[in-house]
PDB file of all heavy atoms in Angstrom:
ATOM      1  N   GLU A  92    -259.658  73.018 101.284  1.00  0.00           N
ATOM      2  CA  GLU A  92    -259.583  73.553  99.931  1.00  0.00           C
ATOM      3  C   GLU A  92    -258.278  73.161  99.234  1.00  0.00           C
ATOM      4  O   GLU A  92    -258.256  72.866  98.055  1.00  0.00           O
ATOM      5  CB  GLU A  92    -259.732  75.073  99.959  1.00  0.00           C
ATOM      6  CG  GLU A  92    -261.122  75.557 100.351  1.00  0.00           C
ATOM      7  CD  GLU A  92    -262.165  75.297  99.287  1.00  0.00           C
ATOM      8  OE1 GLU A  92    -261.800  75.295  98.087  1.00  0.00           O
ATOM      9  OE2 GLU A  92    -263.337  75.097  99.642  1.00  0.00           O
ATOM     10  N   VAL A  93    -257.192  73.184  99.994  1.00  0.00           N
ATOM     11  CA  VAL A  93    -255.873  72.897  99.408  1.00  0.00           C
ATOM     12  C   VAL A  93    -255.685  71.394  99.189  1.00  0.00           C
ATOM     13  O   VAL A  93    -255.221  70.952  98.140  1.00  0.00           O
ATOM     14  CB  VAL A  93    -254.745  73.467 100.285  1.00  0.00           C
ATOM     15  CG1 VAL A  93    -253.389  73.035  99.755  1.00  0.00           C
ATOM     16  CG2 VAL A  93    -254.836  74.990 100.330  1.00  0.00           C
ATOM     17  N   ALA A  94    -256.061  70.604 100.198  1.00  0.00           N
ATOM     18  CA  ALA A  94    -255.802  69.157 100.123  1.00  0.00           C
ATOM     19  C   ALA A  94    -256.918  68.407  99.420  1.00  0.00           C
ATOM     20  O   ALA A  94    -256.683  67.354  98.825  1.00  0.00           O
ATOM     21  CB  ALA A  94    -255.637  68.598 101.539  1.00  0.00           C
ATOM     22  N   GLY A  95    -258.148  68.946  99.476  1.00  0.00           N
ATOM     23  CA  GLY A  95    -259.311  68.206  99.004  1.00  0.00           C
ATOM     24  C   GLY A  95    -259.902  67.432 100.175  1.00  0.00           C
ATOM     25  O   GLY A  95    -259.184  66.733 100.905  1.00  0.00           O
ATOM     26  N   GLU A  96    -261.195  67.603 100.386  1.00  0.00           N
ATOM     27  CA  GLU A  96    -261.849  67.026 101.573  1.00  0.00           C
ATOM     28  C   GLU A  96    -261.678  65.522 101.669  1.00  0.00           C
ATOM     29  O   GLU A  96    -261.665  64.956 102.758  1.00  0.00           O
ATOM     30  CB  GLU A  96    -263.331  67.401 101.596  1.00  0.00           C
ATOM     31  CG  GLU A  96    -263.580  68.874 101.894  1.00  0.00           C
ATOM     32  CD  GLU A  96    -265.038  69.154 102.205  1.00  0.00           C
ATOM     33  OE1 GLU A  96    -265.714  68.256 102.745  1.00  0.00           O
ATOM     34  OE2 GLU A  96    -265.490  70.256 101.879  1.00  0.00           O
ATOM     35  N   ASN A  97    -261.546  64.831 100.541  1.00  0.00           N
ATOM     36  CA  ASN A  97    -261.437  63.395 100.552  1.00  0.00           C
ATOM     37  C   ASN A  97    -260.027  62.889 100.835  1.00  0.00           C
ATOM     38  O   ASN A  97    -259.823  61.688 100.964  1.00  0.00           O
ATOM     39  CB  ASN A  97    -261.921  62.824  99.205  1.00  0.00           C
ATOM     40  CG  ASN A  97    -263.396  63.062  98.963  1.00  0.00           C
ATOM     41  OD1 ASN A  97    -264.200  63.073  99.903  1.00  0.00           O
ATOM     42  ND2 ASN A  97    -263.755  63.289  97.713  1.00  0.00           N
ATOM     43  N   ASN A  98    -259.087  63.815 100.934  1.00  0.00           N
ATOM     44  CA  ASN A  98    -257.690  63.430 101.132  1.00  0.00           C
ATOM     45  C   ASN A  98    -257.179  63.711 102.532  1.00  0.00           C
ATOM     46  O   ASN A  98    -256.031  63.363 102.835  1.00  0.00           O
ATOM     47  CB  ASN A  98    -256.789  64.157 100.124  1.00  0.00           C
ATOM     48  CG  ASN A  98    -257.115  63.797  98.695  1.00  0.00           C
ATOM     49  OD1 ASN A  98    -257.357  62.641  98.378  1.00  0.00           O
ATOM     50  ND2 ASN A  98    -257.130  64.792  97.830  1.00  0.00           N
ATOM     51  N   ILE A  99    -258.000  64.325 103.376  1.00  0.00           N
ATOM     52  CA  ILE A  99    -257.506  64.781 104.674  1.00  0.00           C
ATOM     53  C   ILE A  99    -258.525  64.532 105.765  1.00  0.00           C
ATOM     54  O   ILE A  99    -259.740  64.629 105.539  1.00  0.00           O
ATOM     55  CB  ILE A  99    -257.145  66.280 104.593  1.00  0.00           C
ATOM     56  CG1 ILE A  99    -256.332  66.717 105.815  1.00  0.00           C
ATOM     57  CG2 ILE A  99    -258.361  67.167 104.387  1.00  0.00           C
ATOM     58  CD1 ILE A  99    -255.689  68.087 105.650  1.00  0.00           C
ATOM     59  N   LEU A 100    -258.035  64.138 106.924  1.00  0.00           N
ATOM     60  CA  LEU A 100    -258.872  63.989 108.116  1.00  0.00           C
ATOM     61  C   LEU A 100    -258.514  65.113 109.074  1.00  0.00           C
ATOM     62  O   LEU A 100    -257.331  65.374 109.311  1.00  0.00           O
ATOM     63  CB  LEU A 100    -258.635  62.638 108.787  1.00  0.00           C
ATOM     64  CG  LEU A 100    -258.986  61.395 107.979  1.00  0.00           C
ATOM     65  CD1 LEU A 100    -258.573  60.147 108.738  1.00  0.00           C
ATOM     66  CD2 LEU A 100    -260.474  61.365 107.668  1.00  0.00           C
ATOM     67  N   ILE A 101    -259.537  65.788 109.626  1.00  0.00           N
ATOM     68  CA  ILE A 101    -259.302  66.916 110.540  1.00  0.00           C
ATOM     69  C   ILE A 101    -260.080  66.676 111.820  1.00  0.00           C
ATOM     70  O   ILE A 101    -261.282  66.381 111.780  1.00  0.00           O
ATOM     71  CB  ILE A 101    -259.728  68.239 109.914  1.00  0.00           C
ATOM     72  CG1 ILE A 101    -258.924  68.504 108.627  1.00  0.00           C
ATOM     73  CG2 ILE A 101    -259.546  69.400 110.903  1.00  0.00           C
ATOM     74  CD1 ILE A 101    -259.363  69.752 107.870  1.00  0.00           C
ATOM     75  N   GLU A 102    -259.375  66.786 112.935  1.00  0.00           N
ATOM     76  CA  GLU A 102    -260.011  66.718 114.249  1.00  0.00           C
ATOM     77  C   GLU A 102    -259.809  68.047 114.970  1.00  0.00           C
ATOM     78  O   GLU A 102    -258.703  68.603 114.925  1.00  0.00           O
ATOM     79  CB  GLU A 102    -259.408  65.581 115.097  1.00  0.00           C
ATOM     80  CG  GLU A 102    -259.976  65.465 116.495  1.00  0.00           C
ATOM     81  CD  GLU A 102    -259.394  64.274 117.245  1.00  0.00           C
ATOM     82  OE1 GLU A 102    -259.551  63.135 116.751  1.00  0.00           O
ATOM     83  OE2 GLU A 102    -258.746  64.477 118.285  1.00  0.00           O
ATOM     84  N   THR A 103    -260.859  68.544 115.593  1.00  0.00           N
ATOM     85  CA  THR A 103    -260.773  69.847 116.297  1.00  0.00           C
ATOM     86  C   THR A 103    -261.021  69.648 117.773  1.00  0.00           C
ATOM     87  O   THR A 103    -261.990  68.991 118.169  1.00  0.00           O
ATOM     88  CB  THR A 103    -261.810  70.842 115.739  1.00  0.00           C
ATOM     89  OG1 THR A 103    -261.641  70.959 114.322  1.00  0.00           O
ATOM     90  CG2 THR A 103    -261.639  72.204 116.374  1.00  0.00           C
ATOM     91  N   ARG A 104    -260.136  70.236 118.586  1.00  0.00           N
ATOM     92  CA  ARG A 104    -260.278  70.171 120.031  1.00  0.00           C
ATOM     93  C   ARG A 104    -260.153  71.544 120.652  1.00  0.00           C
ATOM     94  O   ARG A 104    -259.551  72.442 120.056  1.00  0.00           O
ATOM     95  CB  ARG A 104    -259.206  69.247 120.658  1.00  0.00           C
ATOM     96  CG  ARG A 104    -259.439  67.781 120.351  1.00  0.00           C
ATOM     97  CD  ARG A 104    -258.502  66.859 121.114  1.00  0.00           C
ATOM     98  NE  ARG A 104    -258.925  65.483 121.000  1.00  0.00           N
ATOM     99  CZ  ARG A 104    -259.770  64.879 121.825  1.00  0.00           C
ATOM    100  NH1 ARG A 104    -260.262  65.541 122.852  1.00  0.00           N
ATOM    101  NH2 ARG A 104    -260.120  63.620 121.627  1.00  0.00           N
ATOM    102  N   ARG A 105    -260.737  71.706 121.833  1.00  0.00           N
ATOM    103  CA  ARG A 105    -260.595  72.948 122.599  1.00  0.00           C
ATOM    104  C   ARG A 105    -259.940  72.617 123.917  1.00  0.00           C
ATOM    105  O   ARG A 105    -260.381  71.708 124.634  1.00  0.00           O
ATOM    106  CB  ARG A 105    -261.942  73.618 122.828  1.00  0.00           C
ATOM    107  CG  ARG A 105    -261.846  74.911 123.643  1.00  0.00           C
ATOM    108  CD  ARG A 105    -263.208  75.543 123.889  1.00  0.00           C
ATOM    109  NE  ARG A 105    -263.807  75.970 122.642  1.00  0.00           N
ATOM    110  CZ  ARG A 105    -264.981  75.524 122.187  1.00  0.00           C
ATOM    111  NH1 ARG A 105    -265.671  74.626 122.892  1.00  0.00           N
ATOM    112  NH2 ARG A 105    -265.473  75.966 121.044  1.00  0.00           N
TER     113      ARG A 105
END
Side-chain angles (χ1 to χ4, degrees):
E92 291 289 329
V93 174
E96 289 192 31
N97 295 326
N98 298 318
I99 193 167
L100 297 175
I101 300 175
E102 178 176 301
T103 305
R104 289 188 169 270
R105 180 181 296 121

